Amino acid sequence: VTAAIIAIGDELLAPGRVETNSAFLTDELARAGIRVGYRAVVGDDDDAIARATRDALVRNDLVFLTGGLGPTSDDRTRDAVATALELEMSVDESILRAIQARFDERGLTMPDVNRRQAMVPREATVLPNRHGTAPGLWITPEAQEFGARKLVVLLPGPPAELQPMYLDQVAMRLADYSSSVVYDVRKLWVAGLPESAVEQKILSTYRSVDNPSTSLLASSGQVEIRLTANAASADEAAATNERLASRLRKLLGEAIFSESEQTLEAVIGGLLLARNQRITVAESLTGGLIAHRITDVPGSSQYFDESFVTYSNEAKTELLGVPAGLFGTGGAVSEDVARAMAVGARRRARSDLAVAVTGIAGPGGGTETKPVGLVFIGLATAREVRVERFHFPGGRRQIKRWSSQAALNMVRLELLKELSSSDASVSGD
Amino acid sequence: VTAAIIAIGDELLAPGRVETNSAFLTDELARAGIRVGYRAVVGDDDDAIARATRDALVRNDLVFLTGGLGPTSDDRTRDAVATALELEMSVDESILRAIQARFDERGLTMPDVNRRQAMVPREATVLPNRHGTAPGLWITPEAQEFGARKLVVLLPGPPAELQPMYLDQVAMRLADYSSSVVYDVRKLWVAGLPESAVEQKILSTYRSVDNPSTSLLASSGQVEIRLTANAASADEAAATNERLASRLRKLLGEAIFSESEQTLEAVIGGLLLARNQRITVAESLTGGLIAHRITDVPGSSQYFDESFVTYSNEAKTELLGVPAGLFGTGGAVSEDVARAMAVGARRRARSDLAVAVTGIAGPGGGTETKPVGLVFIGLATAREVRVERFHFPGGRRQIKRWSSQAALNMVRLELLKELSSSDASVSGD
């Protein structure tokens, strides 16, 4: 069983744009034992979409089209697919009501153009969109020219709409199309080590096995290790991955922060909840990014009350009690200031743990002794205060991102230490 | 002039693989004024490659194929393209000698399979590969069915071979193809209006002209309007875009926040600098995201000293002076609390302007009267304090993003108002 994925949108063909839905679908289809045999990106053009759809359908069993389902006139997918498959379109009243309701909820009048989103081929099953107005469509074309058991699925372009729709409504419907070879994808996420160091630790191990295949993917401050195993059954494929994963776990230890797509901030959230501890943050260089990441986690209000963005020296003194004299001696970017920020934030927020970041984000402000990318991160707990010094590469945003990652990883390792030392004291009783 | 890019290789269709050559070529072609109209990834299959090539060539002037030029039997590109274009293949002795020399240099015997790499269509120009054995090919097919002045370029798959070959040997040869029609891309960015409302305002205008072509792209809280004009010269193309842009400006007015890829936060930074004003933020729902966005802008320390992430009620009271009684009457998510947060933050940070956000990010915590997505944004200046109420769709991250966008847009409109009223008072003197 093979699938084709066609991503639609002029903007996806523009320089600098990355199309991510195809990668998501490729991964998810692999879980169902469905191999992708063709991927394309086409513009907002009826003829191009129709040609790509027909062509893909001849050579593949399943065709997924993403994007171009919006309400505006350059959203061409519905019409083009109907043309390609010779389907008749009509207004689906239930979709119309659902779209109407979304506008009503927000006290807005539904623009006339949104009516287009309720036009669907008669043969289609509608996939409701809980995160947007464009419903998905599940179509089993009858035209015999394409062969038997063909399937065309239309999904909305925004990943925040496409992903839940696929996971909640499409995945289970695909059981009929799954094949005899099953794939299992396993991911291990590493923080605190550069990609080359991760590779050095594990290369000879993962190279020694053909199945699963292993790939590394680095992004600011973390490395994703992806194992893809194939086998005759899902259990066997999972077991094949687990055999290698357990060897990698021994080699990497605590550097692995997640095996479940959990973000670093979500992992920390879990650790804080388990310890019944609360955290605060004092941010100069990161300017709110760490607090933003912490509060991206649902339920973070259980362990996060407040934090401080202190960009100017005066704010550091006034809000966090950093002695003004420190700025004269070592400057705002120094070990002493990072330490004082962490201690001050912890006291001020009456939290168990505080992490503080000061550094030079650039592009200006660097000097020979304090170059752009120099960052001090302070961590204060009831037991100790310590500061680590980093020098991160890249531009302003990358340095902010790296710094937030390093700060959160320091917090994670501290919480693991506390957990294991308290475990030890329990078992020593 | 449009180009198609076809990446070839079974491995590129596997889960977890990212295909990077297409992005490289898209960016480089844009520099030469060549727009990419179609991208595909196909497996190592003669028929699939030939079909994709012919199809791409009908609809585009240039077709770039990457990968599948290696010596092994699953490297199909040369043969498939020769079939598609009905070209005769023969051994090129100079390629054969070059491949032989690479093996000799390293003291190795050339395997017989590498002879395949010396098979080229008679009509092709060979592009030597200084970083590997597979030469590239530059083919101008004569078959009239595809139309005049078509070009097919075959490049090796490894980026370390493809990139120097493109930059050193292909880019300058494209001059003939890039000169005749020049493209100009213009973008207008709109905040504060949903995509459908933007379209309703401008559809009939942009539909009334064929050149430039116009497309809309929405992402949380902003809409990108992209105009692509073509003309015989760069100046003419730019003027063609400007004619439509000036009409759209009249229709959209202050809803357009940028025409230069500047983010909303960068636009606000410019306005604050121009007014010599400073800003602060009090964030509950957005949890640091607004401060993070403000501090993403280089030089933001000139107008941003500090801000407050106040997640708990106690933090709102202690840091911002929000009267504790307000939480009892209207709850933390209310107009009154948003107002008090803005006023308190402005006073505390001694800033000219303060924006405050409180709301329900979900997934939990929503009620019938206060559903997930309900957000109050307060804005305090020396002249006034006001609060706007929003109801945003989507999940937690989307709601945070929408809220930050709405808050920054309120700030922007306020600063524009102040600018124009101060202009008015100057002109009234």
Side-chain angles (χ1 to χ4, degrees):
Chain A
V1 179
T2 67
I5 301 170
I6 303 172
I8 292 150
D10 285 344
E11 76 283 0
L12 301 174
L13 293 163
R17 288 299 288 255
V18 180
E19 194 275 309
T20 59
N21 289 329
S22 297
F24 170 81
L25 288 174
T26 301
D27 284 5
E28 290 299 324
L29 289 168
R31 286 179 208 271
I34 297 168
R35 199 170 60 76
V36 172
Y38 172 73
R39 279 205 307 260
V41 183
V42 303
D44 300 312
D45 175 278
D46 278 53
D47 187 39
I49 299 168
R51 280 179 78 110
T53 303
R54 293 176 67 92
D55 216 54
L57 209 48
V58 170
R59 310 173 55 82
N60 298 278
D61 308 286
L62 284 61
V63 176
F64 290 82
L65 294 104
T66 67
L69 298 180
T72 66
S73 60
D74 57 4
D75 292 304
R76 307 304 320 157
T77 307
R78 268 181 308 266
D79 290 350
V81 169
T83 306
L85 306 180
E86 297 172 11
L87 306 173
E88 243 178 274
M89 303 279 276
S90 62
V91 170
D92 181 308
E93 289 298 331
S94 70
I95 301 180
L96 197 58
R97 278 192 301 274
I99 297 173
Q100 183 74 62
R102 282 188 69 89
F103 280 92
D104 290 349
E105 249 172 46
R106 299 166 60 196
L108 299 170
T109 309
M110 185 182 86
D112 258 1
V113 291
N114 283 81
R115 289 184 67 87
R116 290 192 60 230
Q117 297 185 295
M119 291 289 291
V120 301
R122 291 242 173 84
E123 296 81 350
T125 302
V126 173
L127 309 172
N129 185 344
R130 277 188 284 279
H131 303 271
T133 54
L137 295 173
W138 172 283
I139 305 167
T140 47
E142 284 169 15
Q144 284 305 312
E145 61 175 307
F146 301 116
R149 269 171 49 86
K150 298 275 176 162
L151 170 66
V152 178
V153 181
L154 277 58
L155 296 170
E161 301 176 23
L162 176 141
Q163 295 185 10
M165 188 181 288
Y166 180 89
L167 296 171
D168 299 344
Q169 301 183 66
V170 175
M172 74 285 286
R173 283 194 171 92
L174 288 176
D176 286 352
Y177 294 86
S178 301
S179 77
S180 55
V181 176
V182 177
Y183 290 84
D184 183 69
V185 176
R186 173 76 71 92
K187 296 173 191 167
L188 310 180
W189 301 83
V190 172
L193 291 173
E195 185 180 17
S196 55
V198 175
E199 172 153 298
Q200 213 156 25
K201 280 177 189 284
I202 66 172
L203 180 69
S204 61
T205 302
Y206 75 71
R207 277 288 179 78
S208 69
V209 293
D210 279 344
N211 184 22
S213 68
T214 302
S215 65
L216 305 191
L217 183 67
S219 61
S220 329
Q222 61 188 41
V223 179
E224 176 188 338
I225 305 169
R226 185 189 291 245
L227 315 183
T228 307
N230 63 75
S233 73
D235 286 354
E236 204 185 315
T240 304
N241 266 339
E242 176 54 28
R243 273 193 295 279
L244 179 57
S246 70
R247 294 173 67 190
L248 300 185
R249 251 179 242 124
K250 287 199 188 87
L251 295 169
L252 292 166
E254 287 185 347
I256 297 173
F257 68 85
S258 172
E259 297 194 19
S260 60
E261 306 263 350
Q262 269 202 317
T263 58
L264 190 49
E265 47 271 32
V267 169
I268 287 168
L271 291 169
L272 287 165
L273 280 178
R275 290 288 284 169
N276 194 25
Q277 292 201 352
R278 292 185 307 167
I279 190 170
T280 190
V281 192
E283 305 188 62
S284 185
L285 172 126
T286 47
L289 172 56
I290 297 174
H292 167 47
R293 291 182 62 181
I294 289 174
T295 58
D296 260 358
V297 180
S300 43
S301 58
Q302 290 174 76
Y303 49 81
F304 177 83
D305 290 329
E306 67 194 293
S307 79
F308 314 90
V309 182
T310 52
Y311 232 47
S312 68
N313 291 350
E314 294 70 31
K316 291 180 183 75
T317 298
E318 200 193 304
L319 278 173
L320 306 174
V322 175
L326 287 185
F327 302 119
T329 37
V333 177
S334 65
E335 188 179 330
D336 287 345
V337 168
R339 186 188 313 272
M341 285 172 70
V343 171
R346 182 174 174 273
R347 187 166 43 214
R348 177 86 204 222
R350 293 183 298 273
S351 67
D352 302 288
L353 214 114
V355 66
V357 181
T358 181
I360 311 212
T367 65
E368 194 139 319
T369 51
K370 303 219 169 156
V372 168
L374 177 69
V375 177
F376 292 93
I377 303 182
L379 184 74
T381 67
R383 302 187 303 191
E384 62 163 344
V385 194
R386 63 198 165 76
V387 178
E388 289 187 28
R389 182 184 198 277
F390 299 87
H391 189 180
F392 295 120
R396 184 177 181 92
R397 286 174 184 212
Q398 270 175 291
I399 291 168
K400 284 179 73 177
R401 165 80 196 176
W402 276 98
S403 301
S404 74
Q405 192 72 2
L408 291 173
N409 200 43
M410 276 176 70
V411 170
R412 180 180 69 91
L413 294 173
E414 178 66 30
L415 288 167
L416 286 178
K417 207 164 61 184
E418 293 191 15
L419 270 178
S420 60
S421 64
S422 75
D423 285 353
S425 71
V426 168
S427 65
D429 276 351
Chain B
V1 179
T2 67
I5 301 171
I6 302 172
I8 291 151
D10 284 343
E11 76 284 0
L12 301 174
L13 293 163
R17 286 299 290 255
V18 179
E19 195 276 309
T20 59
N21 288 331
S22 297
F24 170 81
L25 288 174
T26 301
D27 286 1
E28 289 300 324
L29 290 168
R31 287 178 210 272
I34 297 168
R35 200 167 60 78
V36 173
Y38 172 74
R39 277 206 307 260
V41 183
V42 302
D44 300 313
D45 176 279
D46 279 52
D47 187 40
I49 299 168
R51 280 180 76 111
T53 303
R54 293 176 68 90
D55 214 55
L57 210 48
V58 170
R59 309 172 57 80
N60 298 276
D61 307 287
L62 283 60
V63 177
F64 290 83
L65 294 103
T66 68
L69 297 180
T72 67
S73 60
D74 59 3
D75 290 304
R76 307 305 320 157
T77 307
R78 267 182 309 266
D79 291 350
V81 169
T83 306
L85 306 180
E86 296 171 14
L87 306 173
E88 243 178 272
M89 302 279 275
S90 61
V91 170
D92 182 307
E93 290 298 331
S94 71
I95 300 180
L96 196 58
R97 278 194 301 274
I99 297 173
Q100 182 73 61
R102 281 188 68 90
F103 280 94
D104 291 349
E105 253 171 44
R106 299 160 62 194
L108 300 169
T109 309
M110 185 182 88
D112 259 2
V113 292
N114 282 81
R115 289 183 66 87
R116 291 190 60 232
Q117 297 185 294
M119 292 288 290
V120 301
R122 291 239 173 86
E123 296 82 351
T125 302
V126 173
L127 309 172
N129 185 344
R130 277 188 285 278
H131 303 271
T133 55
L137 296 171
W138 172 284
I139 305 166
T140 46
E142 283 169 15
Q144 284 306 311
E145 62 176 305
F146 301 117
R149 270 172 50 86
K150 298 275 175 161
L151 171 66
V152 178
V153 181
L154 277 58
L155 297 170
E161 301 177 22
L162 176 141
Q163 295 184 11
M165 189 182 286
Y166 179 89
L167 296 171
D168 299 344
Q169 302 182 63
V170 176
M172 74 285 286
R173 283 194 171 92
L174 289 175
D176 285 352
Y177 293 86
S178 51
S179 56
S180 54
V181 177
V182 177
Y183 287 85
D184 183 71
V185 175
R186 173 75 71 94
K187 295 173 192 166
L188 310 180
W189 301 83
V190 172
L193 291 174
E195 184 183 16
S196 53
V198 174
E199 167 150 296
Q200 220 157 23
K201 280 178 188 284
I202 65 173
L203 179 70
S204 60
T205 302
Y206 73 69
R207 273 292 182 76
S208 69
V209 294
D210 279 342
N211 185 22
S213 67
T214 302
S215 67
L216 305 192
L217 181 68
S219 61
S220 328
Q222 61 189 39
V223 179
E224 176 188 337
I225 306 169
R226 184 190 292 247
L227 315 183
T228 307
N230 62 74
S233 73
D235 285 353
E236 204 185 315
T240 304
N241 267 338
E242 176 55 28
R243 274 193 295 278
L244 180 57
S246 71
R247 293 173 67 190
L248 300 184
R249 253 179 240 124
K250 286 199 189 86
L251 295 168
L252 291 166
E254 288 186 346
I256 297 172
F257 68 85
S258 172
E259 298 194 21
S260 60
E261 305 262 352
Q262 269 202 318
T263 57
L264 190 49
E265 48 271 31
V267 169
I268 288 168
L271 291 170
L272 287 164
L273 279 178
R275 290 289 283 169
N276 194 26
Q277 291 202 353
R278 292 185 307 167
I279 190 170
T280 191
V281 192
E283 304 187 63
S284 185
L285 171 125
T286 46
L289 172 56
I290 297 174
H292 167 47
R293 290 182 62 182
I294 289 174
T295 59
D296 259 359
V297 180
S300 43
S301 57
Q302 289 174 77
Y303 49 81
F304 177 83
D305 290 329
E306 68 195 290
S307 79
F308 314 90
V309 182
T310 53
Y311 232 48
S312 69
N313 291 350
E314 295 70 29
K316 291 180 183 73
T317 299
E318 199 193 305
L319 277 173
L320 306 174
V322 176
L326 287 185
F327 303 120
T329 37
V333 177
S334 65
E335 188 180 331
D336 287 346
V337 168
R339 185 187 314 271
M341 286 171 70
V343 171
R346 182 174 175 273
R347 187 167 43 215
R348 177 86 203 221
R350 292 184 298 274
S351 67
D352 302 289
L353 215 114
V355 66
V357 181
T358 182
I360 313 218
T367 64
E368 194 138 321
T369 51
K370 304 219 167 155
V372 169
L374 177 69
V375 177
F376 292 93
I377 303 181
L379 184 74
T381 66
R383 302 187 305 192
E384 62 163 343
V385 194
R386 64 200 166 74
V387 178
E388 288 187 28
R389 181 185 198 277
F390 299 87
H391 187 180
F392 295 120
R396 184 178 181 90
R397 285 173 186 214
Q398 273 176 291
I399 291 168
K400 285 179 73 177
R401 167 78 198 180
W402 276 99
S403 301
S404 74
Q405 193 72 3
L408 291 173
N409 199 43
M410 277 176 69
V411 169
R412 181 181 68 92
L413 294 173
E414 177 65 30
L415 288 167
L416 287 177
K417 206 163 62 184
E418 293 191 16
L419 270 179
S420 59
S421 64
S422 76
D423 285 354
S425 71
V426 169
S427 67
D429 276 350

